[in-house]
Amino acid sequence: MFVGREEELGALERLYQKKGFQMVVLYGRRRVGKTTLLDEFSKGKPTLYFTAQVQSAAMNLRSFSQATYRFFDLPASTGSFSSWSDAFSFVANRSKDTDDPLLFVFDEFPYAAESEPSLPSTLQIAIDHEFKGTNVRMVLSGSNEGFMESKVLGAKSPLFGRRTAQIKLQPFDYLDAARMIPSATDTQHVEYYAAFGGTPYYLAQIDESASFEENVEFLFFDKAGLLYEEPMMLLRQELREPASYNSVLSAIASGATSPKRIAEAAGIEQASVGKYLKTLEGLGFIERIVPFGENPERSRKGLYIVCDPFFAYWYRFVSPNVGAIENGAGQAAAKAASGEAFSTYVGKRFENVCLQWLVRRNRTGGLPFPASSFGRWWGTDPAAREQVDIDVIAADKPSKQILLGECKWRGTFNETEALEKLESRSTLIKGYDRRHLALFAKEPVGTATARKANGRDDLMLVSVRDLFENL
């Protein structure tokens, strides 16, 4: 089932319709859906599709030769090209025989380049001297983000400046993730997103005939479960020191938020923890956040969090229970992870879902004003003399308008008190003349609160049902 990716497909289609040679660099971490996107994009198009493997340079060249012969209807017995240079020359020359675009997909390019280090230079020469005069639409795809950013997109790469577009494929947001589980309820969609995140491959493992608890128990808390060892497998594939990165992720998931505390909790020298944080941030596993309105480069209030929901869930609930799972007590561990602790965890993820809803709503003009920045805020309330936070914010500095939201995952709460607190905190962020409020709740608010909102044009009431109205 193919869902989402409308923007990426649109960008690829626009480039496909352009005249002359085009080269797109598509990359993103494993399991995020690059191959599925390329399969969807290539439907109905003449496509030379090759996926490199972790094997010798000679074997990859032999496999590419066979794929090329099949595409151009040549006998399989033709024999391998003698070099990548000859292979690219052949494709470029053959493509000149027609005015129609030829889609050339080189999937997992890093695998081929790692076994043949000269491959980027060879391809650069082929682009400059042969492909430039063709109607080839080339897509270089890869899961090794570090390689793609340095050896393909980087300024020191031979291929630098040859691309006509690049797409870093990200996991789904909450709404596209929900489209992969159509039978789930709105509340379950939030819970699934909080545990599985937006990685399509993980979402595809969900058995819709089973309950949320059953899916989590089997996939996360069983030694045979597909997602039980997934984070460590990804770390081993992507990084040279998986144990150290695992310790850093565990430290952040346990509540360490500053480099000093993370280093102490992970047992890593503080002088070297920065490189681990930078790498994990680049992979999209963690994020450094600062209070809304502060400069990320200068703020001393920055906090590191595990931003990917799947990793956040795994390190919060699965990692501490590995011993129990290994000893056959996974069912009990899963049950313990489904109570109040999980509800509190989902509550924090619910804030991210609400923020994503604001971003989506803003794109379609559904907010009281066009917002240009989003985030959350925390700091001191001088009147109350306490530390407070504002869950979600959308703002536009030029028009001096701001929307501030409170997110409540609990089934029942004091709605009047929540609105009063939000209103009092709305003045803590300076520089805005027009203020709007939003109350996000698990269930629709009571009649009295709804009646109050009807008389105000500066208050939005949003339930979980509203978050999925466009599903």
Side-chain angles (χ1 to χ4, degrees), residues 18-19 38 77 79 98 124 139 172 174 206 215 247 289 302 315 323 348 366 372 380 401 412 420 435 440 457 471:
K18 282 188 173 184
K19 294 182 179 180
L38 290 173
S77 58
T98 175
Q124 171 249 311
V139 180
F172 285 151
Y174 83 97
I206 294 168
N215 273 300
S247 297
I289 59 173
Y315 278 96
K348 294 303 294 181
S372 54
T380 303
Q401 294 196 75
T412 59
E420 287 175 350
R435 300 174 189 277
F440 295 87
D457 62 359
L471 188 60

Side-chain angles (χ1 to χ4, degrees), residues 63-246:
S63 298
F64 179 79
S65 302
Q66 293 302 310
T68 302
Y69 298 148
R70 283 194 301 273
F71 177 74
F72 288 108
D73 293 323
L74 295 173
S77 58
T78 306
S80 297
F81 293 110
S82 60
S83 66
W84 281 105
S85 178
D86 287 347
F88 293 143
S89 262
F90 181 87
V91 174
N93 288 328
R94 277 299 184 113
S95 69
K96 294 175 182 176
D97 295 340
T98 175
D99 292 331
D100 296 328
L102 184 157
L103 180 57
F104 172 20
V105 175
F106 200 134
D107 198 8
E108 293 300 355
F109 181 74
Y111 288 158
E114 284 165 0
S115 62
E116 181 62 73
S118 64
L119 185 58
S121 295
T122 302
L123 181 57
Q124 171 249 311
I125 294 170
I127 290 172
D128 291 350
H129 296 283
E130 296 177 274
F131 282 112
K132 278 292 187 183
T134 70
N135 278 323
V136 168
R137 279 74 168 124
M138 183 183 296
V139 180
L140 296 186
S141 176
S143 300
N144 187 325
E145 296 186 31
F147 182 97
M148 296 297 286
E149 289 177 346
S150 62
K151 300 299 175 68
V152 177
L153 295 171
K156 295 182 180 180
S157 166
L159 291 168
F160 180 72
R162 272 71 185 179
R163 76 186 188 282
T164 52
Q166 74 282 325
I167 299 172
K168 183 174 183 179
L169 202 61
Q170 303 286 0
F172 285 151
D173 72 356
Y174 83 97
L175 195 61
D176 281 338
R179 288 173 176 146
M180 292 197 67
I181 326 165
S183 65
T185 66
D186 295 337
T187 298
Q188 288 171 339
H189 280 140
V190 175
E191 293 175 337
Y192 271 120
Y193 183 72
F196 289 78
T199 301
Y201 179 77
Y202 304 156
L203 295 164
Q205 310 311 313
I206 294 168
D207 179 358
E208 293 192 67
S209 67
S211 67
F212 171 80
E213 292 77 12
E214 289 169 337
N215 273 300
V216 166
E217 181 184 329
F218 177 68
L219 291 169
F220 285 94
F221 290 89
D222 189 303
K223 286 190 291 184
L226 188 68
L227 303 181
Y228 171 52
E229 293 187 338
E230 178 69 6
M232 283 306 302
M233 290 177 64
L234 276 177
L235 294 181
R236 292 188 196 104
Q237 291 170 344
E238 293 283 350
L239 306 164
R240 294 179 180 177
E241 302 174 69
S244 297
Y245 286 100
N246 178 56

Side-chain angles (χ1 to χ4, degrees), residues 53-68:
Q53 299 180 48
V54 182
Q55 58 187 7
S56 69
M59 291 186 70
N60 269 321
L61 181 57
R62 188 181 309 143
S63 298
F64 179 79
S65 302
Q66 293 302 310
T68 302

Side-chain angles (χ1 to χ4, degrees), residues 257-258 261 287-296 299-305 348 351-352 355 374-382 386-393 402 404-406 425 428-429:
T257 57
S258 67
R261 290 182 59 199
E287 178 185 12
R288 181 178 180 267
I289 59 173
V290 300
F292 180 85
E294 295 206 7
N295 186 328
S299 177
R300 295 184 178 181
K301 297 180 181 178
L303 306 175
Y304 282 96
I305 61 169
K348 294 303 294 181
E351 294 174 12
N352 296 338
L355 192 61
F374 301 84
R376 55 172 299 204
W377 183 89
W378 61 93
T380 303
D381 182 345
E386 62 180 359
Q387 291 291 308
V388 299
D389 58 24
I390 300 172
D391 295 336
V392 293
I393 296 171
I402 190 169
L404 309 102
E406 177 79 3
R425 294 172 186 177
L428 296 174
I429 302 179

